[in-house]
Structures are given as C-alpha cells and as structure tokens.
Amino acid sequence: MRVSKSFIPTLKEVPADAVIPSHILMIRAGLIRQLSAGIYSMLPLGYKVVRKISEIIREEMNAIGGQEFHLPALNPKEIWEATNRVEAFGDTLFHVKNREYVLAPTHEEIIAFHAKGNVTSYKDLPQIWYQIQTKFRNEARPRSGVIRGRQFLMKDAYTLDATLEGLDEGYAKHDMAYRKIFDRCKLNYFVVGASSGAMGGSKSEEFMVKSEAGEDNIAYCRETGYAANVEVAQSLVDAAKRHADSKKIFEISTPNVKSIDQLCEFLNIDETETAKSRVYFHDEKPVLVLMLGNEEVNEAKLQGILGGQVRPAHEEELKEISGADAGSIGPIGFKHKIIADLRLKDANNLYSGANKNDFHIGGIDLKRDVPELEYADLRFVKSGEKTIDGKGTLEVFKAIELGHIFKLGTKYSEALGVNFLDENGKENPIIMGSYGIGVERVFACYIEQNNDEKGIIWNPNLAPFHVQLIGLNMKKEAVVETCEKIYKDLTGQGIEVLFDDRIDSSAGFKFNDADLLGMPIQVVVGERNLKENAVEIKVRRTDVREMISLDILTEKVKELLSRLNE
C-alpha cells in the first residue's frame, strides 16, 4: 500500500483526552478515531490489526473444533427476561424500540435459543459454537480508549455438553486455545481465578495483563504463583482478638459520630475493637453485613455466597429496616439475617451501632449476643498480606482483562427449557460453558506492552504491514525506480509493504512517521547508498541499522521477519 494513496492521519501532538499509552498511540498513529464517548471507528491501519487478531483467534478456535456463527446483535428483550439478566445487567444494557429489544452485551441466551429443539440427543453433543461479533454495553464512564467502550468487538464461544466431565474437557480446550492465542499475539499475560458476576456459573478464570490502565485489581504472589482477582482472592490475616472476659452490653451516647474513624477518636479505641455495619437486600430481604473496623464489603464475594439478587440498601430504606440511619446501625436488635466477615469470628468486647441515631453499643460478644450469626470471607485482600497457605506475600495491582472463561452449568438451559435426551431416554438440561476474548483489548494491550518514546513497536504477527519502505527524495529517478522494484519484489514474496512514496515530505518527517507507526522493519532507499548498490535496513524493536546489498535484500527481510516472530 502506498502512503500517498492511503488514509493514515498521524498526529504529532498527544490528544487531550488520551492518558494511557495505547489510547495516545492508537490516535496519533491514525489507527482509530473517536465518534462519541466510548465509541470508536477503526481506521484502515487499525482494522488490519483487528483482522489479524481475529484470524489468529479463528484459527485456534477452529483447531479445537469450534464452529463459527454470526448472531444478531439486536435481541428480543423477552429472551433476556427469561434468564433475569435484564435486571442483572441493569443500566449497562442498551434498550431499543420502546424497550422491546436489547443490544446484546453477550450471547448466552441466543446460543441456548438456537440449541433448543435442534440439539435434542446426547448423540448431538458436545458442540463448540463461537462468533466474532460487535457487542454493546452502556458503560457509565467509558475510558482508556478501546479498552472500555460502549461498542466493542468480542470473540464469544459456548460449549454445549451432556455431562460435567464433558464441560471440564471443553473448558480445558478453551484454556489451551486461549494460551496459544495470547502467545501468538506476543502478550505477557497471566491467569487468575475470578468471579462470574452477571454471567453466573461456577469455575471462572481471567486472562490478564498488568497495567495501570486496568479496571481490575489483582492479588498476585511471586513466591507461590498464586493469582486471583480481588473479587475472589483470599489471604491469611489475623482475626479480631477474643478477650478472656466478656463485658456486659452497654449503650453510649455518640452525637454526630457516623464513621469508624470518628467512633475510634470519640472513644479512644482501636478500629480492631469495632464492627462496621452495612445493609444489603438479598432477593429483596434485608441482610446486615458486619466487617472488622474500616474494612469494606467485597460485594462480589457477598454475591457469590448469597446467590440471587443482591444490592446495597438505599439511604431512605435504612431507618425503616434498622431504626437508624447509616453510621448508627449494628447487630444488637437487628431483626433480619446477619452475616459477618471471618475476621470477626467469635469476637467480643466490640463496639457497633445501637440501631438508634447518635448511639452506639459497647461490650458486644458476637458468640453470646448474636448466636444465629453466619460467618464468611467477605473482605478485600491487601498488598503485604500472606497468601492463604502462609507461604508467600501478596501484591495487589491493576490489570486489564483480555479474556474470561466460565463454567455456566445449566443456568441458561433451565431458564429457557433447552433439554436433551440421554442414553436412557431421560430428559436433562444441556450443560453450558462460556468463553470470551476482547479483540480490541488484545490490540490495546499489545501496544501497552510494546511501545517507546517514538511510537508503537509491532511484531510481524499483528503489524498492519511487515515493512515500511521509505523513499528519500522521491523526485530522483533512481530512488523511484529502486523503490518500485523493492516494492514489487517484497510483495511478490507475500511480504506486506507500506510504501512511503510521498514526494513533498522531508526525510525527518518520514522517519518520525515510520517510528510512530512501528512496522517491524524499515527499508530506507536513498540516493547516496544506491551508489553502492545498497539500502539501509532498520529493525524497529532494536533500532539496529544495517547496510544491505540490493541483491540479497528480499532474503534478508524474510530472515529478519522470521527471527522477529520467534
């Protein structure tokens, strides 16, 4: 492709709304342009990268027996209502045409719809169905360019099985395929245990890359290799102390004391002597959650423990439920279900709210005073804490999710009546798995990990072009003729070439553009070197330059590309 005939709108300046490297460079290199908040157009060079990533995904999905579909993005709302996911997705689900339809953020329901009545026997199973399709999520705060947008391209795959053993096998196949995909895309990634969230299901793993641009927090241990999303991560931490003698309960006037910090200052106590209360609704029934001191409720863990629909109580609901406003609520006299974090297990001599505004209660013995109390791991782990086995130390950092694999089980098949007959003629719900990869996230994460102060550094597997051919002083006949011959020779060998044939651009301008665009190899044709029958080759990643005879140029380029792909 010739630059003079191409649409590659490069920019010198950093866009004002771009903060992270991938967003900055994708705009500066003319790969994308924003249409609206969280909505981006893929320009020609960017779309070439998307197609290459998609083809790698397609090849590895086909290798494990995947069959490619193309499903509608516009879905009838009633299918989603049957699985209760209109409510589960909430405001992130786009509604259209008087709310009769939704724009699909994922396609579990539609896969189940097509399986119903068509996959009817154990002999029809297993199946692996996948697509590479545009998805929609009404993100309240889209950010980081294409990493978190409202419209995005995703590979979603689904396994249909007759047995749990079959689901295990399909899950393992996708785990293997994902590793091959991300290896071929030259990404430095790791795998963590995760929460299934609105997807539902049991086992769930995320493929992540470490990045300050990430929306997920990951707990990782270098010594043991343990890695998990903080939504599910566990650690070994000390529980609250149980004193030998339990005090009697007593009420304290605490005017205008609304927080744990204020309570500790008012009573001159340590936060480990306090139990913070948060009220939630589980399937519209109140639940009080107790945490030690200032620790926050890990709502993903709470959701996993309770199941069903879980939401925080609204401010106006608190007094009706407990008799008090936020900051004065506690377990004594609370008439609904109570669950506490494990760090509070059988703790005594605690301070908490009195369920009466401006009052707290001291001397609380959870074992004595709240006998029906349930305990669970409800906290967020923190950097510096020991792993759950005590063999290492956790580091918590931000990461970007590349892909996510779930064992869904029968959630969707039961809701939509998708059954099959087993070998005994008994009807059973089909067992499903779900497996997603964010195509544009792979694109952005590659750039996050492969850039320098000059621009992007592409590997041949994903590069829009393998070679950037740069003609210096294109008004000189010898330069033009040599460039045309090189262009023909390289493209004839299946090497993709971006030919900078612009006549009026200076050498410095062309070099800067080439480094910004980041093609793996640059071939520079100049009048001076042609006198020696030579051209200059530059490897973008290493910045190593070499003079090469025109007679061996094609073979040298092929050799370098092969080496760069290793």
Side-chain angles (χ1 to χ4, degrees):
M1 191 164 82
R2 298 170 188 270
V3 173
S4 65
K5 303 296 183 183
S6 305
F7 182 60
I8 310 174
T10 59
L11 298 174
K12 288 183 179 180
E13 302 301 323
V14 175
D17 61 338
V19 177
I20 66 171
S22 60
H23 191 191
I24 292 168
L25 290 171
M26 290 173 87
I27 292 176
R28 284 196 58 219
L31 306 179
I32 63 172
R33 282 294 183 270
Q34 181 173 304
L35 180 63
S36 183
I39 305 173
Y40 288 86
S41 297
M42 283 288 160
L43 305 189
L45 287 194
Y47 194 55
K48 281 179 69 68
V49 178
V50 166
R51 293 206 312 272
K52 289 191 175 187
I53 295 168
S54 299
E55 195 53 37
I56 288 172
I57 292 171
R58 187 171 283 114
E59 288 172 4
E60 296 301 338
M61 287 303 303
N62 292 346
I64 62 170
Q67 303 167 77
E68 188 169 6
F69 282 56
H70 189 77
L71 302 171
L74 187 66
N75 295 177
K77 183 181 175 181
E78 62 263 24
I79 297 178
W80 283 72
E81 289 176 329
T83 58
N84 294 319
R85 287 219 293 176
V86 172
E87 184 175 354
F89 270 96
D91 291 339
T92 61
L93 191 65
F94 277 108
H95 297 260
V96 296
K97 198 182 178 183
N98 298 322
R99 301 180 72 85
E100 294 175 13
Y101 294 88
V102 298
L103 292 176
T106 181
H107 273 81
E108 284 76 11
E109 282 83 356
I110 310 309
I111 288 290
F113 175 87
H114 287 300
K116 185 176 182 178
N118 293 302
V119 180
T120 57
S121 166
Y122 73 96
K123 295 179 181 179
D124 299 327
L125 299 168
Q127 295 281 333
I128 299 176
W129 297 352
Y130 79 96
Q131 64 169 347
I132 301 172
Q133 164 69 301
T134 302
K135 302 299 176 75
F136 302 87
R137 293 186 187 175
N138 188 21
E139 297 286 354
R141 291 176 296 277
R143 60 187 183 275
S144 302
V146 300
I147 289 176
R148 195 168 190 84
R150 290 180 169 141
Q151 176 177 317
F152 53 95
L153 189 64
M154 188 169 105
K155 187 285 301 177
D156 51 320
Y158 307 90
T159 50
L160 309 175
D161 286 285
T163 65
L164 290 174
E165 291 77 16
L167 173 61
D168 289 343
E169 185 177 338
Y171 189 93
K173 284 182 177 180
H174 281 81
D175 180 88
M176 175 187 69
Y178 276 34
R179 293 172 192 270
K180 289 183 177 179
I181 289 165
F182 299 137
D183 286 343
R184 288 180 63 183
C185 291
K186 303 299 182 184
L187 290 168
N188 180 19
Y189 66 94
F190 56 95
V191 185
V192 304
S195 166
S196 299
M199 304 295 290
S202 55
K203 186 173 181 182
S204 171
E205 290 179 312
E206 293 173 325
F207 293 76
M208 314 286 290
V209 298
K210 185 176 181 180
S211 171
E212 281 302 312
E215 70 275 27
D216 288 293
N217 288 301
I218 303 302
Y220 177 69
C221 175
R222 296 181 187 277
E223 298 99 318
T224 66
Y226 174 83
N229 195 299
V230 293
E231 292 180 337
V232 298
Q234 296 178 306
S235 63
L236 190 64
V237 287
D238 293 333
K241 182 180 179 181
R242 181 168 180 87
H243 301 270
D245 297 318
S246 287
K247 298 177 182 178
K248 291 183 179 180
I249 285 180
F250 56 95
E251 189 175 86
I252 317 155
S253 174
T254 53
N256 300 316
V257 171
K258 300 296 183 184
S259 70
I260 292 296
D261 287 339
Q262 289 171 344
L263 182 64
C264 290
E265 183 179 357
F266 186 81
L267 298 176
N268 193 28
I269 59 174
D270 189 80
E271 70 171 85
T272 58
E273 299 176 66
T274 66
K276 180 167 66 176
S277 301
R278 290 285 308 278
V279 181
Y280 288 82
F281 275 93
H282 171 225
D283 292 336
E284 293 310 307
K285 294 179 181 178
V287 178
L288 180 67
V289 179
L290 291 178
M291 303 297 294
L292 179 62
N294 267 315
E295 294 210 309
E296 295 297 329
V297 179
N298 186 324
E299 294 182 355
K301 288 183 178 180
L302 182 65
Q303 173 72 60
I305 291 160
L306 296 178
Q309 300 295 321
V310 178
R311 68 167 176 85
H314 302 309
E315 188 175 341
E316 62 271 17
E317 297 171 320
L318 293 177
K319 196 159 189 177
E320 181 180 347
I321 296 165
S322 68
D325 296 318
S328 298
I329 299 172
I332 305 303
F334 190 81
K335 298 177 181 179
H336 307 278
K337 180 184 179 73
I338 306 176
I339 185 170
D341 182 67
L342 286 171
R343 292 192 74 192
L344 284 168
K345 178 97 172 135
D346 296 336
N348 65 348
N349 298 337
L350 292 171
Y351 295 85
S352 193
N355 293 319
K356 183 166 63 172
N357 283 348
D358 296 325
F359 284 87
H360 282 75
I361 288 178
I364 299 171
D365 182 335
L366 293 178
K367 190 174 182 180
R368 178 192 68 197
D369 302 323
V370 197
E372 302 299 318
L373 181 60
E374 298 177 21
Y375 292 96
D377 174 23
L378 294 169
R379 65 186 294 275
F380 289 99
V381 302
K382 299 172 184 173
S383 287
E385 294 175 351
K386 289 292 184 183
T387 53
I388 195 68
D389 60 7
K391 295 180 180 179
T393 302
L394 292 176
E395 175 191 2
V396 177
F397 53 79
K398 289 186 177 297
I400 299 169
E401 176 191 327
L402 290 171
H404 203 160
I405 59 179
F406 309 83
K407 289 184 177 180
L408 295 175
T410 58
K411 172 180 177 177
Y412 298 92
S413 51
E414 287 182 350
L416 295 168
V418 187
N419 300 315
F420 73 98
L421 296 178
D422 64 20
E423 58 267 35
N424 299 313
K426 182 181 176 182
E427 192 170 74
N428 297 284
I430 288 175
I431 300 170
M432 293 177 64
S434 177
Y435 316 87
I437 291 177
V439 177
E440 288 140 325
R441 286 189 171 207
V442 173
F443 189 168
C445 286
Y446 177 89
I447 295 175
E448 286 289 315
Q449 294 183 340
N450 295 272
N451 69 82
D452 60 16
E453 69 281 357
K454 297 177 183 177
I456 303 168
I457 303 171
W458 286 111
N459 177 273
N461 270 0
L462 299 189
F465 293 89
H466 300 129
V467 173
Q468 183 139 359
L469 175 61
I470 304 169
L472 303 182
N473 197 347
M474 288 295 290
K475 295 177 181 179
K476 297 292 183 179
E477 186 176 347
V479 173
V480 173
E481 289 179 355
T482 303
C483 284
E484 292 291 349
K485 184 177 188 308
I486 292 171
Y487 184 65
K488 181 179 179 182
D489 290 346
L490 292 179
T491 55
Q493 292 292 313
I495 297 169
E496 297 172 302
V497 180
L498 179 63
F499 176 17
D500 193 341
D501 62 338
R502 290 174 292 184
I503 296 174
D504 297 325
S505 297
S506 68
F509 190 88
K510 290 186 175 186
F511 290 148
N512 288 338
D513 258 10
D515 284 340
L516 173 62
L517 296 176
M519 307 312 164
I521 295 172
Q522 297 172 16
V523 175
V524 183
V525 180
E527 198 174 19
R528 182 189 305 169
N529 293 331
L530 284 181
K531 294 175 181 178
E532 306 295 328
N533 196 41
V535 294
E536 183 181 79
I537 283 186
K538 172 184 167 181
V539 176
R540 174 68 179 89
R541 183 169 296 278
T542 62
D543 208 32
V544 172
R545 302 165 187 268
E546 187 178 357
M547 297 302 298
I548 298 293
S549 168
L550 283 168
D551 299 332
I552 62 168
L553 176 63
T554 300
E555 292 307 311
K556 183 64 177 179
V557 169
K558 290 166 69 175
E559 175 196 330
L560 287 173
L561 289 173
S562 177
R563 194 185 307 163
L564 289 169
N565 253 337
E566 292 175 355

